[in-house]
Amino acid sequence: MLTSSPFNPISPQARAIEHLFNVTLVVMAAIFVLVLGLVLYVWFRFRRRPGEGNQEPPYQDFGRPRLEIIWTVVPTLIVIGLFILTIQTIRVADPWVPQDTEPDLTVIGHQWWWEIRYPKLGIVTANEIHIPVDQKLLLRLESADVIHSFWVPELGRKLDMTPGHPTQMWIQADTAGTYRGECSEFCGVEHAWMHFLLVVQPPAEYTAWVQRQLLASTAPSAPDAQRGAKLFQGLTCVSCHAINGTVARARVGPDLTHVASRQMIGAGVLTNTPAHVARWLENPQTVKPGCYMPNLRLTTSEVQALTAYLETLK
Ligand code: CUA
């Protein structure tokens, strides 16, 4: 099931942040109730009663050192307590990254999709991040154009992706499942359709996924798909996309080597079904207006052939 909630932490980082949030909420609620209670008490206890008429202002009381010490020391202790708790949370939520540590994953924000690289494995994919359960991974964040922001609510931290200034953070998930991530920094017209999926898998399932991703594409056997493969190389598709095992090597748009194995297309705009792929190819601009894939004015038979080809890229 696809979820997206900051109140369902699945990582030590997110749990630490949630704990700090809950403690702060309880302390603030207690202060709120205390202050509001005192205001109501004073308002009720010292109100003007019927028949009392206009009176002089009541007696003003100054200089109660004990009271003043209490209302200075208690809030100071609360702030110090929250400060210590915050430092502890930062240590868990944002652990130190030793210099020159090679990242396990590099995520590059593009207008409006996510490029995902596994430098240690040699995998390049898009819009769907797979990670093994219970493993601490170093994530490096970059941007190819403008400022984006990486956020999977269940993982806790949100981090900006700034062009020319890579950032890093540790991620770890201890519950298998599929979670929705999103771009959290306004980055242009299709910012709202810049989603990705985080698929947390048991080790064996993750290894199988890695093995599949490492395979290059093979030439299709069905005639329709063969025609699609030829069209892909003859049309402008190759100027933007890469498919391992073919001449297509461009890195402008998403890598399509295993596009058929992904759950969504267009960075979350449609589920990945043959009908949706065909709709996307017919005119991406009606599906995701403003995106950088142009309307290629393909004929119906070209759309059919290209869809048949893309469906073979499992
Ligand atoms: Cu990328 Cu908003």
Side-chain angles (χ1 to χ4, degrees):
M1 200 191 64
L2 186 62
T3 66
S4 187
S5 163
F7 299 107
N8 173 34
I10 60 159
S11 73
Q13 293 92 335
R15 265 192 296 276
I17 293 170
E18 200 199 31
H19 179 248
L20 177 64
F21 174 80
N22 288 341
V23 170
T24 310
L25 188 69
V26 167
V27 171
M28 297 306 145
I31 293 171
F32 177 75
V33 169
L34 180 74
V35 171
L36 193 71
L38 284 174
V39 168
L40 288 175
Y41 170 77
V42 169
W43 171 66
F44 186 76
R45 173 81 176 69
F46 300 104
R47 73 193 189 284
R48 182 188 299 160
R49 291 172 173 82
E52 277 183 338
N54 279 334
Q55 282 175 332
E56 290 292 301
Y59 167 67
Q60 303 292 306
D61 194 1
F62 294 103
R64 290 283 190 100
R66 225 175 68 184
L67 210 59
E68 286 172 14
I69 286 170
I70 289 174
W71 78 47
T72 307
V73 169
V74 172
T76 307
L77 288 178
I78 293 175
V79 170
I80 290 173
L82 288 178
F83 178 74
I84 292 170
L85 211 62
T86 305
I87 297 292
Q88 285 172 344
T89 305
I90 290 172
R91 286 170 64 110
V92 179
D94 188 13
W96 173 249
V97 180
Q99 242 187 350
D100 300 325
T101 315
E102 203 193 334
D104 300 288
L105 265 163
T106 300
V107 175
I108 305 165
H110 292 256
Q111 283 176 317
W112 293 277
W113 61 282
W114 307 80
E115 180 179 344
I116 298 140
R117 292 165 175 262
Y118 296 72
K120 292 176 184 170
L121 302 169
I123 293 172
V124 182
T125 180
N127 302 329
E128 198 173 297
I129 302 175
H130 287 243
I131 60 169
V133 83
D134 271 339
Q135 209 165 305
K136 196 175 165 193
L137 302 167
L138 184 60
L139 176 66
R140 179 183 160 101
L141 297 170
E142 297 175 14
S143 169
D145 35 48
V146 300
I147 299 176
H148 303 276
S149 188
F150 177 96
W151 191 37
V152 181
E154 280 85 352
L155 290 184
R157 292 195 60 211
K158 181 195 283 181
L159 199 57
D160 276 5
M161 313 163 87
T162 312
H165 184 80
T167 44
Q168 291 180 311
M169 71 165 161
W170 294 102
I171 56 167
Q172 185 176 345
D174 47 30
T175 313
T178 303
Y179 307 90
R180 203 179 73 182
E182 46 212 88
C183 179
S184 301
E185 179 69 48
F186 182 74
C187 54
V189 65
E190 283 298 344
H191 159 69
W193 279 118
M194 191 166 163
H195 296 293
F196 62 93
L197 294 179
L198 174 79
V199 185
V200 182
Q201 296 173 302
E205 222 175 275
Y206 173 73
T207 310
W209 177 83
V210 168
Q211 295 307 325
R212 259 199 323 278
Q213 296 295 309
L214 286 172
L215 298 174
S217 73
T218 47
S221 51
D224 230 18
Q226 281 176 347
R227 202 162 71 83
K230 228 181 242 146
L231 278 170
F232 192 92
Q233 286 163 32
L235 294 167
T236 47
C237 313
V238 282
S239 326
C240 293
H241 295 282
I243 297 178
N244 269 352
T246 74
V247 294
R249 284 167 201 286
R251 292 270 170 231
V252 180
D255 186 293
L256 299 177
T257 311
H258 297 281
V259 66
S261 71
R262 295 180 209 145
Q263 298 180 41
M264 309 291 289
I265 55 170
V269 77
L270 288 174
T271 50
N272 192 1
T273 64
H276 284 161
V277 170
R279 206 173 117 198
W280 175 267
L281 289 171
E282 266 163 31
N283 185 1
Q285 294 301 319
T286 59
V287 183
K288 194 169 172 177
C291 77
Y292 286 118
M293 175 149 166
N295 179 2
L296 295 165
R297 299 179 198 286
L298 303 167
T299 66
T300 309
S301 108
E302 285 173 332
V303 167
Q304 209 178 7
L306 280 170
T307 305
Y309 173 50
L310 293 176
E311 288 305 315
T312 68
L313 303 175
K314 298 265 187 223

